[in-house]
Amino acid sequence: GSAMAPELSSGTNSLPVIETARAVHHLSQAEAGRGYPVRLKGVVTYSDPRWWMIFVQDKTDAIFVAPQSSQVEIRPGQRVEVHGVTAAGDFAPTVTRATFTILTNGPMPKPAQPTLGELLTGQFDCRWVKLSGIVQSFSEDDGHLILYLRIREGIIPAFLAPTIPISEASRFLDAQITMQGAIAGQLNRQGQLVAVRLFVPDLEAIHVDEPAPADPFALTTQKIGDLLRYNPDEENMGHRIKIAGTI
């Protein structure tokens, strides 16, 4: 990076202008709450202005950005210049009251491939990542399809952008897929990181590695008494099963 001193902002705010995502993220929450002016360039990895959510990643790190207006027209893959101010955030510093200048298109960042344990450290907060697993179930929240992805270490909810139809859920259920998206934390009442969520921008960020069986009722019937016992067959671990009995 440059050895030059940070540029001072104009107007009444004499705090230095912050120009990288890493510099924002490395502020303490108290410092971020002072409202440092921000001017940084990066690629939009997820955009949902209706939920006041935009993730931007540059060469140094990634950051959560709250737009000044929910009507902003920003799409994933666009390289933008962000103007805003820092805020403490619920978990880590963020950029708020942001406006955007569209510069060009992409490319998207190279995705990190962390484990769930690494994600729960918080070091990948807001970063563009790649996760693979089995879609075990789905739900819907305010026009957003949520896929519950079973990875080796646990389950991660993946929130799909509202541009992705809810009807897509059926083709993902019980499929082995690889998804790319921006990571965000889920906090308890004390503000501690207890889980993570993935925010997926579009269908291009989802790849079906192995489709679900066409007819789940054609699966071999398993005895209820055989469930939850040791099974060395990892290939079917996490997939749907079929049982039969009397209610």
Side-chain angles (χ1 to χ4, degrees):
S2 171
M4 295 176 61
E7 177 186 335
L8 295 182
S9 63
S10 59
T12 58
N13 189 347
S14 61
L15 295 170
V17 176
I18 296 181
E19 296 185 326
T20 67
R22 178 178 294 170
V24 176
H25 245 160
H26 280 209
L27 293 173
S28 67
Q29 285 190 293
E31 275 294 297
R34 296 178 65 191
Y36 282 78
V38 174
R39 183 183 66 226
L40 64 84
K41 296 178 182 178
V43 175
V44 176
T45 56
Y46 182 86
S47 177
D48 187 358
R50 189 158 60 96
W51 273 13
W52 303 92
M53 291 180 62
I54 295 174
F55 291 91
V56 175
Q57 185 160 327
D58 64 12
K59 292 180 179 180
T60 68
D61 203 347
I63 200 73
F64 177 91
V65 179
Q68 190 172 59
S69 167
S70 63
Q71 304 302 313
V72 65
E73 293 284 342
I74 293 294
R75 295 192 306 274
Q78 290 179 328
R79 180 169 170 79
V80 297
E81 182 170 289
V82 180
H83 289 254
V85 296
T86 62
D90 294 327
F91 175 65
T94 65
V95 177
T96 189
R97 305 206 315 261
T99 59
F100 302 84
T101 301
I102 299 171
L103 304 175
T104 181
N105 286 323
M108 296 295 274
K110 182 179 179 180
Q113 299 186 57
T115 64
L116 179 57
E118 289 171 331
L119 290 174
L120 289 173
T121 67
Q123 63 178 314
F124 288 91
D125 184 49
C126 303
R127 294 275 299 279
W128 182 248
V129 303
K130 178 192 289 187
L131 299 173
S132 296
I134 298 164
V135 178
Q136 291 192 321
S137 60
F138 66 88
S139 63
E140 183 265 341
D141 182 4
D142 190 27
H144 297 71
L145 174 60
I146 307 171
L147 303 179
Y148 295 90
L149 187 70
R150 174 76 192 197
I151 62 175
R152 182 174 292 272
E153 305 97 334
I155 296 176
I156 293 180
F159 287 71
L160 277 55
T163 52
I164 299 175
I166 303 297
S167 59
E168 291 287 343
S170 57
R171 76 179 178 102
F172 294 131
L173 186 61
D174 205 36
Q176 173 82 35
I177 69 173
T178 297
M179 291 194 287
Q180 297 185 51
I183 279 289
Q186 187 170 332
L187 312 178
N188 62 17
R189 291 182 179 180
Q190 289 74 44
Q192 297 165 314
L193 181 65
V194 294
V196 292
R197 297 171 290 179
L198 186 71
F199 287 87
V200 181
D202 48 41
L203 286 175
E204 286 69 35
I206 305 175
H207 181 265
V208 177
D209 304 314
E210 183 183 328
D215 180 10
F217 289 99
L219 296 172
T220 301
T221 302
Q222 296 191 34
K223 295 179 180 178
I224 295 175
D226 290 340
L227 301 180
L228 300 179
R229 297 184 182 274
Y230 173 71
N231 180 4
D233 182 12
E234 290 191 1
E235 184 175 338
N236 292 317
M237 191 179 299
H239 282 287
R240 288 189 290 188
I241 61 170
K242 186 179 80 171
I243 59 173
T246 303
I247 299 176

